Amino acid sequence: MEDQRIFTCLVSSTDILEYPVQLAIYKAPSPPQITEQATVMEIGKLTRVAECRTEGANPAANITWFKNKTPLASDGTAIKISQAVDVDSVTKLSATTSKIEYAAVKEDVDAKFTCRVQHARSADIESSPISFTVNYPTEKVSLQVVSQGPFKEGDNVTLKCTADGNPPPPSYNFYIKGEKKTVENSNTYTLRNITRNDTGEYKCSLVDGEDMVDSTQITVDYLEVVLSSTGKINKKVGESFEITLDINGSGTTQTSWKKDNVKLEKAPKFDKLKYSDSGVYGCVVSTGGLKKTQTFELIVEGAPVIKSLVNTKGDGTIYKVLICEGEGSPKPTVQWSINGTNVDETAYENGRITYRMTIVPKGNLTVSCTFSNDFGTDIRSINVSTFADDMTIDKQDMKQEQSQQTTMVVGIVVGLLVAALAIGLAYWLYLKKFRTGTWKTGEKEDGSAEESKKLEENQSQKADV
């Protein structure tokens, strides 16, 4: 630094000329160091935050303070910044020290403060950020429900009380159904296995300031469903059966019905039970986050009834297929009075079943079909003829039909002739009576000949028609 001075060049001629040159020595400053950092700040109280120092510079460096990367300037009240420059007596290099005093606010809880060194011959150098704790009193408490609703009976519900002061209070008062419960070193309280009776208002407050309080409402949903009949229900066909559903819930409920997992449009009603009413019924009742299901299995029973017994021609000319159809529950078994082949049955659905059997009749015979189950027996018979007998019967039917047709034609012709004769006779009698008797007995026997002639002409024309 001793070389930082004026050098003069002298030129001798007629006159002595001087050429002075100022030599400047530059030295970049050291990185800034923050010392004497505050750890706790109180709101509104002017407190020294820290001291920032840089050394070994020429010329002296400048220091600027930043909060969250925003430069701070002294305003004399909330911010005071002072800066001093010291010159080392040996090296003649400068050291710059900057001190900041600051009145914190709530928003400074997470604030980051830095100092930045600026020099004419080097890039800006910024310090590591610092922060501090901001203390301020509680102004408000808040009570919230940590557990996610809606709530139902049997759930656990956790309440949390918070205060906006720093540091937060270590203990809180919780008011459970009007009873004060103090919780130490925690701000939560858990209601376990809640019931519908736990519905109501809950509060919390500071231990040393019970007038600072907050509250919240908790609603416990519940649902009770009672079905008048459950399990297996056995009923006789034709009987009536009533099912009732009692619902007790905390809110509006929705009810849906299913039969064998197929949705029903409305609740089942059985005025007169049918075999098709058998099945597994279920109702689902829901409200809020609750859902309950009730089921029952309806079994409609009854003695078998044969609805029809017919025989048809098989694929071959000599085969007959007997078809016996009926209903009953449990499933009826069949007993034929004769043996046959290709005995099979249809699927048993809604209490109905059809049995088939193929036979080759050797002559005219009577075949019986018997349905049986635990509740009774039904029998029906049918006459079965051979193929030859069927052909004879068919020919006889054709001859009888032809004879009936011939008789009908002859009858129609005779009827028409008789009708024509009757009409002609009636008209002849009418003309005869009119010509002979009418003018002899009339009041105008002496009428003009011309009128009489015209009348006769008219009568003659009618007769021709």
Side-chain angles (χ1 to χ4, degrees):
M1 288 301 297
E2 288 80 359
D3 294 323
Q4 181 172 277
R5 59 183 186 272
I6 298 175
F7 290 84
T8 303
C9 174
L10 299 176
V11 177
S12 298
S13 61
T14 307
D15 295 322
I16 298 175
L17 303 177
E18 295 183 1
Y19 296 91
V21 176
Q22 176 68 48
L23 177 63
I25 305 298
Y26 293 95
K27 175 69 169 59
S30 65
Q33 298 292 325
I34 294 181
T35 58
E36 299 185 17
Q37 176 185 344
T39 57
V40 178
M41 303 280 290
E42 292 185 16
I43 288 181
K45 183 178 180 181
L46 196 63
T47 305
R48 188 173 71 175
V49 176
E51 182 179 293
C52 181
R53 181 178 177 84
T54 181
E55 299 176 343
N58 191 62
N62 184 56
I63 295 177
T64 304
W65 286 94
F66 290 81
K67 184 184 80 170
N68 296 331
K69 298 188 179 302
T70 300
L72 298 175
S74 181
D75 60 10
T77 55
I79 303 175
K80 286 185 178 181
I81 300 174
S82 59
Q83 183 168 288
V85 177
D86 299 324
V87 178
D88 188 274
S89 59
V90 178
T91 63
K92 307 301 182 183
L93 297 176
S94 299
T96 305
T97 303
S98 178
K99 299 178 181 179
I100 182 172
E101 294 179 278
Y102 184 75
V105 294
K106 282 186 179 182
E107 290 74 14
D108 293 326
V109 171
D110 298 319
K112 304 295 182 183
F113 286 76
T114 58
C115 64
R116 183 180 298 172
V117 174
Q118 298 159 319
H119 192 263
R121 293 289 177 165
S122 68
D124 293 349
I125 308 174
E126 192 161 349
S127 69
S128 299
I130 63 170
S131 60
F132 43 79
T133 300
V134 179
N135 288 343
Y136 47 88
T138 297
E139 297 178 352
K140 180 182 178 182
V141 295
S142 299
L143 178 62
Q144 64 185 109
V145 180
V146 177
S147 305
Q148 186 175 1
F151 305 114
K152 59 183 183 298
E153 290 186 311
D155 287 347
N156 296 333
V157 180
T158 299
L159 304 175
K160 183 178 181 180
C161 193
T162 56
D164 63 352
N166 194 42
S171 305
Y172 294 88
N173 289 332
F174 288 88
Y175 299 87
I176 311 301
K177 294 182 179 179
E179 181 181 355
K180 182 172 71 174
K181 296 182 180 294
T182 301
V183 177
E184 300 288 346
N185 300 319
S186 177
N187 65 340
T188 62
Y189 185 90
T190 300
L191 303 168
R192 302 189 181 279
N193 196 23
I194 59 175
T195 66
R196 67 192 68 180
N197 296 327
D198 292 318
T199 296
E201 184 182 40
Y202 292 82
K203 298 179 180 180
C204 80
S205 71
L206 299 179
V207 173
D208 56 355
E210 295 185 2
D211 56 336
M212 199 174 297
V213 64
D214 191 28
S215 64
T216 188
Q217 185 75 20
I218 292 179
T219 300
V220 181
D221 293 331
Y222 61 91
L223 180 63
E224 294 177 350
V225 179
V226 179
L227 197 61
S228 59
S229 299
T230 57
K232 282 190 175 183
I233 304 168
N234 296 80
K235 290 291 182 179
K236 291 291 184 66
V237 64
E239 292 182 347
S240 62
F241 174 55
E242 183 179 3
I243 192 79
T244 58
L245 184 66
D246 293 329
I247 301 174
N248 181 23
S250 56
T252 302
T253 60
Q254 294 80 39
T255 304
S256 61
W257 283 89
K258 288 185 177 181
K259 177 190 175 187
D260 297 330
N261 290 324
V262 178
K263 187 176 181 180
L264 299 176
E265 295 298 328
K266 58 182 179 180
K269 185 178 181 182
F270 311 102
D271 294 330
K272 188 176 181 181
L273 286 170
K274 306 181 293 295
Y275 291 116
S276 58
D277 292 326
S278 296
V280 178
Y281 293 81
C283 68
V284 179
V285 183
S286 60
T287 178
L290 297 177
K291 180 186 291 186
K292 289 194 174 182
T293 302
Q294 295 287 325
T295 62
F296 68 91
E297 182 180 3
L298 177 61
I299 302 173
V300 181
E301 302 172 319
V305 176
I306 297 176
K307 296 296 185 180
S308 66
L309 175 59
V310 297
N311 74 89
T312 61
K313 294 180 181 179
D315 295 336
T317 57
I318 62 174
Y319 295 101
K320 290 293 184 71
V321 179
L322 302 179
I323 303 174
C324 191
E325 180 182 0
E327 63 182 12
S329 179
K331 174 186 173 182
T333 59
V334 68
Q335 181 68 43
W336 297 96
S337 60
I338 63 172
N339 294 326
T341 60
N342 297 331
V343 179
D344 65 351
E345 63 184 69
T346 61
Y348 179 65
E349 294 181 354
N350 296 327
R352 300 185 70 89
I353 190 168
T354 300
Y355 291 97
R356 290 183 174 86
M357 183 177 67
T358 302
I359 63 173
V360 180
K362 302 300 183 182
N364 294 336
L365 70 158
T366 300
V367 180
S368 298
C369 171
T370 303
F371 273 18
S372 302
N373 67 7
D374 296 339
F375 293 93
T377 301
D378 192 20
I379 185 170
R380 183 172 292 194
S381 301
I382 188 173
N383 293 325
V384 182
S385 59
T386 64
F387 176 74
D389 292 336
D390 289 342
M391 294 293 293
T392 301
I393 292 173
D394 292 342
K395 290 179 179 179
Q396 290 176 353
D397 291 342
M398 290 176 63
K399 290 180 179 180
Q400 184 177 358
E401 183 178 354
Q402 290 175 355
S403 177
Q404 290 176 351
Q405 291 177 353
T406 302
T407 303
M408 182 181 297
V409 171
V410 172
I412 292 173
V413 172
V414 172
L416 291 173
L417 290 174
V418 171
L421 290 174
I423 292 173
L425 179 60
Y427 190 69
W428 179 78
L429 291 174
Y430 169 76
L431 291 177
K432 183 178 180 182
K433 180 181 177 180
F434 192 84
R435 288 177 177 178
T436 59
T438 302
W439 293 104
K440 290 180 180 180
T441 59
E443 296 180 355
K444 297 183 179 180
E445 296 183 13
D446 56 347
S448 65
E450 185 178 352
E451 291 179 357
S452 177
K453 184 178 181 180
K454 289 182 178 180
L455 182 60
E456 288 180 359
E457 290 176 354
N458 291 335
Q459 297 295 333
S460 178
Q461 291 176 357
K462 290 181 180 179
D464 293 340
V465 173

